[in-house]
Amino acid sequence: MKVGILYSRIRKDEKLLLSELRDRGHDVEKIDVRKERFGLDATTAAVDDLDIVVDRCLSTSRSLYATRFLDSYGVPVVNSPETGDVCADKAKNSLALAEADVPTPATEVAFTKDAALEAIESFGYPCVLKPVTGSWGRLMAKIDSRNAAEAILEHKETLGHYEHKVFYVQEFVDKPGRDIRVLAVDGEPVAAMTRSSDHWLTNAAKGGETKSFDLDDRALELVERASDAVGGGLLGVDLMEVGVDADSGPAEGGADGYTVHEVNHTVEFKALDAATDVDVPATVVDWLEEKAVELADAEAEEADA
């Protein structure tokens, strides 16, 4: 198998993936999107004989455009540009989950400071204000008072970038000091971990402590449904426990116990690989091998039709 790795920086995650691919004897074509050009009919990148391309771009904009161009050339790429488009935008992400009837935090979007303040007041305090694009918990705010809301909204309104004019307001979920990250391939979990912190943001990138987590039947169901809702692929599904104590488990009557707050399309997995007994890069490459065959078979069937 010949695999393309679409990247803008080689992080530990990509090193783990590259090592596993090479150990299995696969040919790897590293495609640095910073150095390539993408035209309407062709690209300067060497993609013609690739069985599959894996999007590992750090930049959201580069990821979305590069995968869209590759897809237009007929190059098999994961994740698909359609999945990337949904996952890269928190508003689209929330809509996709809600439309698939996946439990997700109550969310409103507003386009002016005044309308956003009304949304915040309707949720009550605390609530959460997030940018529609971004990762690692950056530019997220837990708003505890009207004074804080007015100040933050004014800052966002004057920052200039059009995305700051989209006010994404979400209910504050009183989670038990942790959330759950699940790495899944087409809805099938590879591994899961909790990310715990005394801070309300529990992301591993923010210093959250990671620990392996066993998924119950309800969590397994939601991971599969959330993956389907955004189009499938290699995804990070983030869940929060509702009515659950981290030490004693679900509260009485809280059988469902979860809400899915986000699905990530260029998911990092180094922390998960370290926190669990699962060989994460090996399992991901298993899936890539299967996916390459699946996509080739589908292309052959289409050609014969």
Side-chain angles (χ1 to χ4, degrees):
M1 179 171 72
K2 191 165 185 180
V3 183
I5 302 291
L6 202 64
Y7 76 99
S8 49
R9 192 174 79 197
I10 298 293
R11 301 163 291 177
K12 184 174 181 180
D13 306 80
E14 287 70 49
K15 290 178 181 177
L16 289 168
L17 195 57
L18 287 166
S19 177
E20 182 65 28
L21 285 165
R22 287 166 176 159
D23 284 349
R24 298 193 189 193
H26 296 306
D27 293 328
V28 178
E29 180 71 34
K30 291 163 61 180
I31 304 168
D32 186 345
V33 294
R34 297 168 299 180
K35 299 178 180 179
E36 306 297 348
R37 307 192 310 276
F38 297 84
L40 300 182
D41 300 313
T43 174
T44 56
V47 299
D48 291 341
D49 59 345
L50 296 181
D51 296 300
I52 196 165
V53 173
V54 185
D55 173 25
R56 298 298 305 169
C57 286
L58 185 62
S59 163
T60 297
S61 58
R62 290 169 180 168
S63 166
L64 294 180
Y65 284 110
T67 57
R68 180 65 68 183
F69 274 100
L70 290 179
D71 183 68
S72 76
Y73 309 145
V75 177
V77 59
V78 292
N79 290 313
S80 72
E82 292 79 16
T83 291
D85 183 63
V86 173
C87 291
D89 186 301
K90 288 182 173 61
K92 293 178 181 178
N93 209 316
S94 293
L95 276 172
L97 292 171
E99 288 170 356
D101 202 27
V102 175
T104 195
T107 301
E108 290 190 12
V109 168
F111 303 108
T112 65
K113 183 176 70 174
D114 290 341
L117 185 58
E118 289 180 7
I120 290 169
E121 293 273 295
S122 72
F123 278 118
Y125 303 100
C127 66
V128 179
L129 185 66
K130 302 179 181 180
V132 287
T133 63
S135 56
W136 303 325
R138 293 174 300 188
L139 297 179
M140 292 173 57
K142 177 186 174 187
I143 300 178
D144 294 306
S145 68
R146 184 182 177 94
N147 286 340
E150 290 174 341
I152 293 169
L153 292 174
E154 183 175 355
H155 290 164
K156 286 181 68 66
E157 193 175 49
T158 58
L159 280 173
H161 196 279
Y162 82 94
E163 287 178 345
H164 288 296
K165 305 300 190 294
V166 181
F167 300 97
Y168 176 96
V169 186
Q170 199 167 68
E171 69 170 313
F172 177 76
V173 176
D174 189 15
K175 59 188 180 184
R178 68 186 190 188
D179 71 354
I180 301 163
R181 159 61 59 85
V182 184
L183 181 72
V185 287
D186 286 332
E188 181 69 26
V190 171
M193 67 181 181
T194 55
R195 303 177 294 188
S196 304
S197 175
D198 291 335
H199 195 277
W200 74 277
L201 288 173
T202 52
N203 307 58
K206 290 285 188 181
E209 180 182 348
T210 59
K211 184 179 179 181
S212 180
F213 183 78
D214 293 327
L215 300 170
D216 60 25
D217 289 344
R218 177 59 171 168
L220 291 168
E221 175 200 348
L222 291 180
V223 168
E224 181 178 7
R225 289 171 54 196
S227 174
D228 290 345
V230 301
L234 174 62
L235 302 169
V237 182
D238 292 342
L239 304 93
M240 292 184 286
E241 297 156 288
V242 180
V244 174
D245 182 272
D247 297 319
S248 59
E252 185 177 352
D256 284 356
Y258 302 99
T259 185
V260 180
H261 62 279
E262 193 167 62
V263 182
N264 304 274
H265 76 291
T266 50
V267 57
E268 296 174 72
F269 51 80
K270 59 182 181 292
L272 187 62
D273 187 57
T276 71
D277 293 331
V278 177
D279 188 335
V280 173
T283 309
V284 169
V285 172
D286 287 343
W287 175 76
L288 287 174
E289 291 170 341
E290 295 171 2
K291 197 71 177 177
V293 172
E294 176 188 320
L295 292 171
D297 289 346
E299 184 180 1
E301 288 180 10
E302 185 176 338
D304 291 340

